Amino acid sequence: VQLQASGGGLVQAGDSLRLSCAASGRTFSSYAYYMAWFRQAPGKEREFVAASSRGGANAAYADSVKGRFTISRDNAKNTVYLQMNSLKPDDTAVYYCAADRAMITSTVRTASAYDYWGQGTQVTVSS
């Protein structure tokens, strides 16, 4: 499974961005994999942002982004999106998408539980 993240950039506080993560691979099916977004700011650990259950039926969010960010997926395109609104300087980080086939609900917020990772895309929010 390969994940390709895109859509990052430099924006001002209050602006919006949409990140995309396209999954590929002979065995990949959007209906079989949890997909998630994590982020890592300089000097900090990688932290959970949002996750989408298999096929996109359910979503989970970090408290810091709830109400501002929305995770969605296009199953036909094997792509997961992260719509980020009302961006804040604290949202500045490298954003990574992740996927896992064997995920269970209790571990969706745990980075080490995901087997597949994209390369990351930089999001910088200026004040």
Side-chain angles (χ1 to χ4, degrees):
V1 174
Q2 295 81 43
L3 303 176
Q4 181 70 41
S6 61
L10 171 63
V11 298
Q12 293 186 333
D15 285 351
S16 298
L17 272 179
R18 189 177 80 156
L19 306 183
S20 300
C21 176
S24 60
R26 187 171 59 88
T27 61
F28 186 89
S29 168
S30 186
Y31 294 99
Y33 283 77
Y34 266 79
M35 297 188 76
W37 290 96
F38 287 76
R39 67 186 182 186
Q40 188 166 18
K44 295 186 177 181
E45 293 187 354
R46 192 168 298 189
E47 66 172 358
F48 171 76
V49 176
S52 172
S53 63
R54 298 176 182 87
N58 296 294
Y61 296 94
D63 288 344
S64 59
V65 306
K66 199 173 294 183
R68 299 188 298 122
F69 291 11
T70 302
I71 189 170
S72 62
R73 55 201 297 175
D74 184 330
N75 294 318
K77 296 182 178 180
N78 288 338
T79 299
V80 65
Y81 304 99
L82 186 68
Q83 178 66 44
M84 306 185 294
N85 298 330
S86 302
L87 282 161
K88 305 175 182 179
D90 285 349
D91 295 319
T92 295
V94 177
Y95 283 70
Y96 298 89
C97 60
D100 195 86
R101 186 182 177 93
M103 184 60 59
I104 58 175
T105 304
S106 60
T107 58
V108 295
R109 299 169 187 265
T110 304
S112 60
Y114 289 83
D115 282 342
Y116 303 102
W117 290 86
Q119 84 286 6
T121 184
Q122 176 72 46
V123 173
T124 303
V125 184
S126 64
S127 58

